[in-house]
Structure formats: C-alpha cells, structure tokens
Amino acid sequence: MVYAHPSSLTTLPAEIIYEIFTFLPPSSLVSLCRTSKLLRAHALIDSLWARFVRENVPFQPHLNCHPAPSWRDLFISLHPYWFLTRNKIWFSDKAHSGGTMTGNLAIIRYDPRRQCIEGLRLVAKHGVHSFESWEWKPEVIIHTFNPKVELWADDPLVKIDPGCYAQHNSANEEIMMQTGYSTGVKSMVSLCHGLPPHLQSNAMALWPPQIIPVRERVRNESRHLFRGEGHRPSSLSDVSENTFRIRKWVEFGGIGAPLGAHIGEDVMTFSTVPDEYYTPTKERPWQGIWVGDYSGHGCEFLLLIQRAVNDSSGRPKSAFESPLQHHYETTYGNGRRPLPVEEGEDGSCAGRLEAIKLTGDPNVPRGEYTWVAEDIGPAGLLRIANERIFKGARVVKSLGHSAARNFRNDKFIPSQLIMVDKNTLAQYWEDFGHVSFYQRVHVDDYLKTL
C-alpha cells in the first residue's frame, strides 16, 4: 500500500510559509492555489497581493485597494498592464497627430478614484520671458526661459479599465480603450515582445534608436501596421514590460454608414527609459528629463545622460571623429592649458553629457542628439563665467546638432554648454549667435492624482 506523505511545505509553521510566499511572483501564487486547500488559503492572504500593487505604484504610499474588494482583486483587474505605471515615463516614435518627427512624452499612472491606468501627454509651453543683452557677447540677445510643464488631461493616450484583459484573456489581442472626448476617434492598446539583440541589425527600423539606452527594442516598421501576430506576444511570459503600441483611427457612424471603416489609421510605438539613466545621483547629478527652448519649434523634452569620458556606448562617432574637434583647439586654445579643477570641487563635473531628444521637430527629430559635451571636466572647461546672467557657471566645449528641414544635411557644429546649476543649463550655438535654455523636469511631481 502506498501512503501519501504530507508536503514538507505544508508542515511548516504558518509564519514561515507566509515568509516564503513573499518571495514568489503572482504566477506562482496562482499555481499554489491549485495544489491544496491549505496552500490556497496562504496564497490568498491579501497582504501578499498588496505588495504586487504597491511595487508598481511606489510613488503613491497611501494607496488603498478601494473601490476593489481586495488587493488581489485590484491586481487582477489591471493585470498584465501594471508595468506601465511602474515604468511611469514613456516616449513614442510618433506624435498624437501622427507626426513622425515630433513624438510624444507621456506619464502613465494609476488613478485610484476610477481604478484605471491612465497615460497623459506631458506638454510644455513658453512662459513669460524677457530679453537681455549678454555682457560676454553683446551682439547676442538672450531670451529667458520660464516653461510651463503640465499634463494634458483632455485627451488621454492610455486608459485601461478594470477587467479589460479578462474579457479577451489573450496577450496577443488588442484591447479597445475609452480615451478622449473626440467623437469618432478610436484607440486600442497592444502588448509587444522584445526583439532579441542577436536578431537586431543596423538595417532594421527599431524603436527606440540605438543611442537611447533601453532594456528592449522592437521592430518599428510594418507594411500592415503591426497587425501580424508576429509583432505581439504569444503568451504572458513573452510580454515585453518596456514597450507597447497604440493604434488610433477615426470611425464615422450613423445610419447607412459602413461599420469598421478605419480612416487615418496609424500606430504609435512606445518605449520607456530605465530610471537609472534619468535619476540624478551624487556622481551624475546632471542626468534627467529636461525641457528645452527651441524658439519657433516650441518646447521639446530631452533625456540627459551623464557618462564616464571613456564610455563609448552611444557615442556619435561621426561627429567626434570629424575635424570639428579641432575647432576648439584653434578657437579657444591659444596655447593655454585647460583650466584646472577648483580646489574642493566634487566629482560631479566629470564625464560626458549627452542630450537626446525625446520629442523633436521638423529639423532634428525625436531619438537624435541635440548636443553633446564630450568632457565637462577640466579637459573641456573653457572658462568660469563672470558676467551677471551666468556668474559662476562652468562653460564647457560642446557640439550642437543641426539640420535642414526633414533632417537633411545634419551636422554637428561648435557650441558652448553653460552649466548654470543642477536644474538649469544653457547652450550657446556659436554659428547661430543664439542661446537656448534648458530646465530640469521633476517627473515625480506629475505622478500624483487628485
């Protein structure tokens, strides 16, 4: 006779079982629910499921599960889309209007009032500004920059309601969203699966571009607007938590109107930036999300990355290996050695600063460098500003990226980066005789809901 022996797990004290379960992912808890009544009871302890929600919305410390009856119900109702709120900041290849050069920057957060995941565009406009002459270059007129950055709540990009996945129960299907208030405008969200690095090539259209450091990339070109199943995951285990897509179109209804006619259909591909590349640290205080003044093009958002000087990843070789680097030696060198680091100065003014556009314009699009300062340390230091408007700021060598309309004839031109403070930068474009300002965007300020 064969006797059934109790599982070694079920013989453990309840508090030990609980402690073990705190290390398990949701899929494992679901599996344990199918094994025995005892383990099911432990796997359904609500505090275990509260952790899954809270780790995806860590910036809402006072969150509760209301109006859902439990944390588990709340988690399941919006699964598998919680990665959208965990990564919080997303940028796309196309604008909301379909523009292929401008793109979107969005904040995705959980709204506890409506128990939904909502993504809103981050927009900026020029505030009140004044004109000042520059003592160091009297022929240059400086326009001050006071941007107003806000979330555009009238027309959400993403709105995922409770239970939307349960209605389809397939990672391969697109989910209809109730976004915006424009009559006839429809949108659907779809999950993606990442393209393995060994299958990527320079000839492929990928999102995001290689210069932006991300964990995963996806194909960004499809004759059939990504309708093929190969563009979407076959199972939940295949889902990318770093990319997703939105399909938008206009559909006119009414008596006698054909159903399902999609007019102006387009697809936006979104990606996120790992927070270690935009979160300032003691060693890399300049990195972050910034907004810049691009004059007639309006305000544009940038990703500033601070790298070690010898870190060649993402480096625009075509620019730095060109004769442009000799421009600084002839213009600013005059036989003088670079200025030394001031006594007592910390190591934050070291390394290379790369400014990459997250939103762009018809000249230099999203996903391209707007300027690069090769070395903000002693080797790149030109002077310490003494004029009133920039007094005490480091001025370092940089190269600005310019192009004709539609990104034709792009080139890197001599410029100077003026490091006003940790939240303000300015770029003097020598060839244009123009100064652009940049302000840091504090992303966490836009994660709060009413």
Side-chain angles (χ1 to χ4, degrees):
M1 182 178 294
V2 178
Y3 293 94
H5 295 282
S7 165
S8 58
L9 182 61
T10 59
T11 60
L12 294 174
E15 59 271 19
I16 301 299
I17 296 177
Y18 179 86
E19 186 66 23
I20 292 172
F21 280 21
T22 62
F23 293 94
L24 299 179
S27 57
S28 296
L29 292 183
V30 172
S31 297
L32 284 165
C33 285
R34 301 167 180 160
T35 58
S36 71
K37 291 183 178 180
L38 176 64
L39 294 182
R40 174 181 172 83
H42 283 288
L44 293 180
I45 294 176
D46 212 34
S47 57
L48 292 172
W49 296 87
R51 175 173 60 89
F52 299 138
V53 175
R54 286 177 171 147
E55 68 185 9
N56 287 297
V57 284
F59 30 85
Q60 296 184 29
H62 304 297
L63 181 69
N64 59 57
C65 64
H66 182 78
S70 69
W71 286 106
R72 180 175 176 271
D73 288 308
L74 174 56
F75 178 80
I76 292 174
S77 70
L78 293 170
H79 176 73
Y81 299 100
W82 285 107
F83 70 90
L84 297 175
T85 62
R86 182 174 68 251
N87 291 320
K88 63 192 177 185
I89 189 159
W90 298 82
F91 62 101
S92 69
D93 60 335
K94 297 177 183 177
H96 198 56
S97 59
T100 58
M101 300 187 74
T102 49
N104 278 307
L105 185 65
I107 298 289
I108 299 184
R109 60 191 185 179
Y110 172 67
D111 186 344
R113 294 175 304 138
R114 293 176 295 166
Q115 200 180 328
C116 69
I117 291 174
E118 184 178 59
L120 304 175
R121 281 177 289 162
L122 197 62
V123 298
K125 60 183 179 181
H126 293 99
V128 178
H129 65 273
S130 59
F131 301 91
E132 297 188 29
S133 60
W134 191 7
E135 300 167 37
W136 190 72
K137 284 277 187 181
E139 66 273 21
V140 176
I141 301 298
I142 293 178
H143 301 199
T144 59
F145 185 45
N146 297 291
K148 182 180 180 182
V149 180
E150 59 188 358
L151 291 173
W152 187 256
D154 291 344
D155 192 11
L157 282 170
V158 175
K159 186 174 182 293
I160 298 177
D161 293 310
C164 62
Y165 178 79
Q167 298 172 16
H168 300 267
N169 199 30
S170 173
N172 194 261
E173 293 190 33
E174 294 180 294
I175 306 297
M176 183 68 75
M177 298 187 295
Q178 300 297 323
T179 57
Y181 304 101
S182 301
T183 303
V185 178
K186 309 292 184 181
S187 65
M188 302 180 81
V189 62
S190 63
L191 300 169
C192 299
H193 67 84
L195 190 65
H198 70 275
L199 295 180
Q200 300 175 18
S201 70
N202 293 333
M204 270 185 190
L206 298 173
W207 187 255
Q210 295 287 351
I211 64 172
I212 300 179
V214 294
R215 297 188 178 97
E216 288 180 299
R217 302 181 201 281
V218 293
R219 294 290 296 269
N220 198 35
E221 196 172 69
S222 170
R223 289 188 303 169
H224 304 292
L225 289 177
F226 304 99
R227 290 191 178 279
E229 292 188 357
H231 292 291
R232 297 196 287 270
S234 57
S235 64
L236 287 177
S237 61
D238 195 29
V239 170
S240 165
E241 295 195 342
N242 300 283
T243 57
F244 72 95
R245 290 191 176 97
I246 293 177
R247 185 184 306 278
K248 295 186 72 72
W249 70 93
V250 176
E251 186 174 297
F252 294 102
I255 300 175
L259 297 177
H262 291 191
I263 301 173
E265 182 175 345
D266 206 354
V267 175
M268 295 180 287
T269 302
F270 282 80
S271 180
T272 189
V273 181
D275 57 6
E276 61 263 28
Y277 285 102
Y278 66 83
T279 303
T281 65
K282 182 179 180 181
E283 295 76 22
R284 299 181 178 185
W286 304 97
Q287 65 184 17
I289 305 298
W290 294 66
V291 60
D293 180 7
Y294 283 82
S295 192
H297 294 308
C299 300
E300 298 178 23
F301 292 101
L302 316 175
L303 169 66
L304 256 65
I305 301 174
Q306 187 173 355
R307 303 182 188 270
V309 175
N310 58 0
D311 181 1
S312 61
S313 58
R315 179 174 176 168
K317 294 182 180 179
S318 59
F320 286 98
E321 291 175 356
S322 73
L324 280 176
Q325 57 188 340
H326 301 298
H327 170 88
Y328 297 108
E329 298 175 7
T330 57
T331 304
Y332 303 110
N334 297 325
R336 293 179 290 129
R337 295 176 60 83
L339 297 178
V341 177
E342 295 182 11
E343 185 176 352
E345 184 177 303
D346 60 26
S348 64
C349 289
R352 185 170 81 249
L353 272 187
E354 302 173 2
I356 304 170
K357 288 191 173 187
L358 296 178
T359 59
D361 56 62
N363 291 75
V364 178
R366 78 290 174 274
E368 294 288 344
Y369 290 105
T370 183
W371 50 260
V372 181
E374 172 68 352
D375 192 339
I376 63 173
L381 184 61
L382 294 171
R383 65 188 182 95
I384 300 297
N386 195 40
E387 60 270 25
R388 179 188 56 81
I389 191 170
F390 297 128
K391 192 172 183 63
R394 295 173 65 87
V395 182
V396 300
K397 305 172 186 178
S398 67
L399 292 176
H401 200 182
S402 69
R405 196 171 183 86
N406 295 322
F407 199 46
R408 292 180 292 106
N409 305 321
D410 72 300
K411 58 182 179 179
F412 286 87
I413 60 176
S415 58
Q416 301 176 28
L417 179 63
I418 306 168
M419 306 174 74
V420 182
D421 57 49
K422 297 298 192 301
N423 295 308
T424 308
L425 295 170
Q427 175 86 346
Y428 171 42
W429 304 76
E430 296 180 13
D431 289 5
F432 301 151
H434 176 74
V435 175
S436 299
F437 280 88
Y438 305 87
Q439 295 282 347
R440 183 186 297 278
V441 176
H442 298 282
V443 174
D444 288 354
D445 292 346
Y446 302 95
L447 297 172
K448 302 169 186 175
T449 56
L450 296 176

